[in-house]
Amino acid sequence: MRGRDSRWAKVAGATAVVLLGAGCGTGTGGGNSSFGREAAQAEIVAAVEKAGLPKSDRPGSGGETPTDSTPGPTPSTERERLQERAAACSAAWQYVGPRVDGSRPGVEKAVTVLVGEGWVQGERQVEKLDEKGGTMLQITLRKRGWVLYARHTGARKGPAVEIVGLHATETACMNRFTEQERKILFGEDAEQG
């Protein structure tokens, strides 16, 4: 990943936390009205279900926020307001928890399902995390102005925690952030290529 895509990827985790913590609203980020946030979210959830990925207990990551959940606090800082705007440009699903057998192949299956829905598979990265076989897999997909990162991270050294996520961002929506807003949102990474 280089340039703008790498900045979006670096903020993807923070944006996903805002999106998943607050629940996934029903609006679109704005760009392509025929393929917006709702459509991207629906395709991600369907791919997760078809791939048999582990159940996520994070609000908004698999559908509507439960009715008994407490709404998130009103953003009090400029960065929090910008994170909320960035969440409106995103669709996501994430599992963080104990290792689950078959989750890495499940990510591959989810990617196959998304390709069947018209997402175009691009770059594939695999990084070794530790000497015991832990790896990080990331596959980039694109569709109609959206960039999706399918990720699996499973360290074999230390705590037995696995992170699985599918996070899509609408490029036109994210491009509406000014240079100053990017600096607030991304910090040092906003100035890199």
Side-chain angles (χ1 to χ4, degrees):
M1 284 184 300
R2 290 193 180 128
R4 187 174 300 248
D5 282 346
S6 68
R7 288 194 305 265
W8 299 144
K10 289 178 182 180
V11 81
T15 303
V17 168
V18 170
L19 177 68
L20 298 174
C24 186
T26 59
T28 63
N32 185 338
S33 62
S34 64
F35 188 75
R37 180 175 168 203
E38 288 179 354
Q41 184 71 34
E43 288 184 2
I44 289 170
V45 171
V48 165
E49 290 172 358
K50 289 177 183 175
L53 287 168
K55 182 172 172 30
S56 176
D57 61 358
R58 295 180 177 269
S61 63
E64 298 288 325
T65 302
T67 55
D68 61 348
S69 68
T70 305
T74 302
S76 60
T77 67
E78 182 63 14
R79 184 159 197 227
E80 289 172 351
R81 284 187 283 281
L82 291 171
Q83 286 175 331
E84 194 169 82
R85 273 183 54 206
C89 300
S90 304
W93 173 90
Q94 184 177 31
Y95 168 83
V96 178
R99 281 190 288 234
V100 176
D101 287 338
S103 62
R104 168 106 181 233
V107 171
E108 302 274 5
K109 289 177 189 173
V111 166
T112 300
V113 170
L114 290 166
V115 167
E117 291 294 329
W119 291 84
V120 177
Q121 185 174 334
E123 188 174 329
R124 176 188 179 91
Q125 297 176 335
V126 179
E127 293 181 31
K128 182 178 175 181
L129 297 177
D130 58 48
E131 64 279 351
K132 296 193 182 250
T135 59
M136 189 282 295
L137 165 70
Q138 177 175 285
I139 302 170
T140 305
L141 299 107
R142 288 178 168 43
K143 179 177 180 177
R144 298 172 72 181
W146 285 74
V147 177
L148 185 146
Y149 297 100
R151 294 184 180 102
H152 176 274
T153 304
R156 300 294 177 210
K157 187 176 180 181
V161 174
E162 196 162 45
I163 302 169
V164 183
L166 294 128
H167 183 267
T169 304
E170 186 180 23
T171 305
C173 183
M174 292 301 285
N175 284 342
R176 291 187 193 120
F177 287 88
T178 67
E179 184 178 338
Q180 181 61 34
E181 289 171 332
R182 282 190 212 108
K183 286 180 182 178
I184 293 168
L185 190 58
F186 304 123
E188 294 289 321
D189 294 329
E191 297 176 9
Q192 296 177 2

